[in-house]
Every structure is written in structure tokens, then in C-alpha cells.
Amino acid sequence: MLTTPQIKSLKQVNISVDAEKTKERVVQVWKSAKNAVKNDVVALAGCAKNTVYRVFDTGSLSIKLAIAIGQVLDVNPYYLTGEADEQGNFSEALLLQILEQHGYKKLLAELAPPAEEAPKPKRKYTRKPKAEPAPVPEAEEEAAPEPEPEPEPEIAAEPEPGVVLERAVAPTPTPDIDIPEEDLQALLHSLVILDRAGIAGAQEKLAAVKGILVS
């Protein structure tokens, strides 16, 4: 079926072969149609209703209006032109026939369905030979299990450099020396100061003194 742009591309030339039959038949199908359907006809043809009424007076019918009336009202367009005696129905075959008759080859090419591509030849199938199963290797004699090696004696890990193992510092025996109490306090105070200053051996000595005092 044609669209409005396609019908508008058709000529306004008269194609009626019998003006009297065209007058009578266009009036007949037009007056039996509802107003909504009439509006569809003029919308499809892209014209005014006066164009249809002019056919009533002149009997001159263009291919544009013949197809629009036939397509919307389902009437054989050749019935409207006076070439067919039966009203019949509109069909795509009649549409293509009337377009071809009046030389609309370009429009016919647009309406023709696209040509189907030729089927591609099938590839010859060659059966592949089945692969022979791989030979199963003979079972080897199970080797006797090797004796597990005896565990080596554990060797105590040497301490990492810089790590000093803590050892209990035995109290150093105090020599039997008569020292005044004030001097003893001064010595203890000095030992505390040396320990705080990080002097080597001061910490062990201070620990020994504390051990004696609390024992």
C-alpha cells in the first residue's frame, strides 16, 4: 500500500476512460462512506474535498485520487476509471498493475521486495579418522620404600647479635671495711647517678646492693 508522500508524487493527469461511469461510480462510493473515512481519503491523497467534488462534475479522475479512494474505501481503482464493471476490492496486485500501466517504474522499484540472496553452497564434509587410543604403559614394579632418615639432634640456636641474655647477678660479697654511714649514703647515691647515666657495670652493682638491702 502507498503512503501519503508516495501518492503525492503521482501526477494529476486524468486516467478515466469513461467520464460518465467515473462520475456515477465516484459519487456512489463517496456518498456511502462516513465522514471520518472521507477525511482519511483526502489526507492520504494530500488534497481538499473540493478535488473529489470536481470529479462529480467533470468525470476527470487522476491516478492519485483513484488509488487513494480505492485504498481507503477498498474499491477496485479500475472500477472508478470505467475499465472494470465489477466494484471488487482493492489489492496490492491491482496497485502494482495500475502503476505499471501508467509508467511509474521508479515507484514500483521502491515497492518491490528485496531479492533473496542465493544460498551459499554447503562445504563438503570430510569425516576425520578416529584417533587410536594411546597404549597403556605396563605397570612398573613398586619400588621398596626408602628408609626415613633419622632426625638430626636439635642444636640450640645461637642468640642473634646485639641480644643479651638476662642472667641472675650474684651479689658481690661485701668486704669487711669500716665505712661511715654518711659515706655509704654518698656511695649509694653516686651508684644511682652512674646507673641513670648508663655507665657500664653500674646497673649490675646497683642491683647487687639492692639485693643485699632487701635480703
Side-chain angles (χ1 to χ4, degrees), residues 147-153:
E148 296 184 359
E150 296 182 359
E152 297 181 359

Side-chain angles (χ1 to χ4, degrees), residues 77-212:
Y78 287 108
Y79 175 75
L80 301 176
T81 61
E83 297 171 81
D85 293 329
E86 297 293 333
Q87 177 173 332
N89 301 103
F90 188 83
S91 65
E92 187 173 355
L94 290 172
L95 171 62
L96 299 177
Q97 181 181 336
I98 197 170
L99 289 174
E100 183 179 6
Q101 179 182 343
H102 294 282
Y104 291 95
K105 295 181 180 180
K106 183 177 179 181
L107 185 55
L108 284 170
E110 294 179 7
L111 298 175
E116 296 183 359
E117 295 183 0
K120 296 180 180 179
K122 295 182 179 180
R123 293 179 60 185
K124 187 176 180 181
Y125 176 73
T126 305
R127 185 183 295 276
K128 294 182 180 179
K130 293 184 178 179
E132 297 183 358
V136 180
E138 296 182 358
E140 298 180 358
E141 294 184 0
E142 187 175 354
E146 296 182 0
E148 296 184 359
E150 296 182 359
E152 297 181 359
E154 295 184 359
I155 301 175
E158 297 182 359
E160 296 182 2
V163 179
V164 179
L165 297 178
E166 295 184 358
R167 296 180 181 177
V169 180
T172 304
T174 306
D176 189 10
I177 301 173
D178 187 13
I179 300 175
E181 183 180 349
E182 293 81 4
D183 294 342
L184 288 174
Q185 293 179 354
L187 289 173
L188 180 60
H189 184 65
S190 300
L191 191 58
V192 172
I193 293 174
L194 292 174
D195 177 51
R196 291 178 180 176
I199 302 302
Q203 183 178 6
E204 290 80 357
K205 293 177 181 179
L206 181 60
V209 172
K210 289 179 179 180
I212 294 170

